[in-house]
Amino acid sequence: MSYRFRQSSMAAVLAVIGGAWAAEAVAAQDFLFGRPSITFGARIGYAIPRADSEIFDFTRDELTVEKEDFNAVAIGADLGIRLTDRVDLALGIGYANSEIDSESREFIGSDDLPILQTTDFRRVPFTVGVKAYLTERGRRISNLAWIPSRFAPFVGGGAGFVWYEFEQEGEFVDYETLDIFYDYFTSSNGSALAYATAGFDYSIGLRWILTAEARYSWASANMGESFVGFDKIDLNGLRAAFGFSVRL
């Protein structure tokens, strides 16, 4: 083995060791090299629809369903693209589904058993908006180094599109003949929405953020052919959520 080859090999080993040491040193720093430009997060929370339209009134009147039964666990993901030091472009998607087992309030079957059915109410919103921070999210300590703030409250708002599906399946009563029949009713459609939000970010490291948020959305959409004669379905509602984001 030549001296030049041994020298080159030793230099390569030292470079690898030096690179590993540098990476470990950077990981130990309490600052980032450069201001992050993107955040990506996942959320879990609770959706509370207003449920204030004819289809919800009819369901509560005829079936053993209460308004709070339409509440549901909600999940979501969002992408934040930094526009300025205090403003992000916010892109989001969510999902919430309530599945409610019920029976007829006024009637029972000829076998003295309850008349049973299930109602499903799903919502999938897609949103685009802005998130404005009320305080600085971090500060520069040099041309390269950036330190995140521990606590950063925000407000925001935007618009988007929400898809919904409302389904009822099971046994129902024909109020003219009092016959009991099995059927499946469904309505799905989409609508524009608007929303407002408020919350805070809490940094739990250089890159990781704990976020808590409350969001209210406004939307309504037409009902499908299974529900002819009903007015638009109310898609307004509140969502409270928390989750984690990572700075990229």
Side-chain angles (χ1 to χ4, degrees):
M1 183 180 293
S2 68
Y3 173 78
R4 180 172 296 177
F5 180 80
R6 291 197 302 270
Q7 189 177 38
S8 298
S9 299
M10 181 62 69
V13 170
L14 290 175
V16 171
I17 294 173
W21 178 85
E24 184 176 350
V26 169
Q29 296 288 347
D30 58 356
F31 59 85
L32 293 173
F33 286 107
R35 185 188 66 180
S37 58
I38 293 175
T39 58
F40 177 76
R43 309 277 182 265
I44 186 168
Y46 201 58
I48 306 174
R50 190 175 69 165
D52 189 20
S53 57
E54 287 181 358
I55 185 58
F56 295 111
D57 293 341
F58 177 82
T59 298
R60 291 193 296 265
D61 290 343
E62 302 299 329
L63 309 178
T64 55
V65 176
E66 304 300 333
K67 193 168 188 175
E68 58 270 19
D69 292 331
F70 291 103
N71 300 349
V73 173
I75 58 175
D78 55 76
L79 178 69
I81 302 172
R82 187 184 290 257
L83 300 179
T84 70
D85 284 343
R86 291 199 183 186
V87 178
D88 278 2
L89 174 67
L91 310 175
I93 184 173
Y95 176 81
N97 177 43
S98 52
E99 181 175 325
I100 309 162
D101 295 324
S102 62
E103 58 188 72
S104 174
R105 285 192 185 273
E106 298 184 12
F107 301 95
I108 60 173
S110 57
D111 52 5
D112 291 332
L113 293 177
I115 301 171
L116 305 176
Q117 55 288 131
T118 300
T119 299
D120 287 289
F121 180 41
R122 303 181 186 93
R123 289 87 72 204
V124 182
F126 304 87
T127 56
V128 179
V130 293
K131 182 188 290 187
Y133 286 84
L134 305 180
T135 59
E136 295 292 342
R137 286 181 281 179
R139 60 188 178 89
R140 293 181 182 275
I141 58 175
S142 70
N143 290 334
L144 295 178
W146 185 84
I147 299 177
S149 299
R150 180 68 69 182
F151 181 78
F154 62 82
V155 295
F161 177 86
V162 58
W163 175 86
Y164 85 89
E165 187 171 38
F166 188 91
E167 297 178 331
Q168 291 185 325
E169 182 176 12
E171 298 175 320
F172 301 89
V173 177
D174 185 323
Y175 294 109
E176 293 184 357
T177 65
L178 298 184
D179 290 337
I180 299 171
F181 63 96
Y182 188 92
D183 212 334
Y184 169 72
F185 303 99
T186 182
S187 175
S188 61
N189 209 334
S191 169
L193 70 81
Y195 77 90
T197 184
F200 65 85
D201 288 347
Y202 184 83
S203 294
I204 53 177
L206 292 179
R207 296 201 177 274
W208 288 97
I209 308 165
L210 173 66
T211 299
E213 177 190 36
R215 173 179 298 199
Y216 197 89
S217 299
W218 294 269
S220 63
N222 292 324
M223 298 292 292
E225 293 183 359
S226 293
F227 298 93
V228 173
F230 287 89
D231 65 358
K232 289 186 175 183
I233 186 170
D234 179 13
L235 301 176
N236 298 346
L238 175 68
R239 187 198 72 180
F242 73 94
F244 294 94
S245 300
V246 59
R247 298 182 176 99
L248 301 175

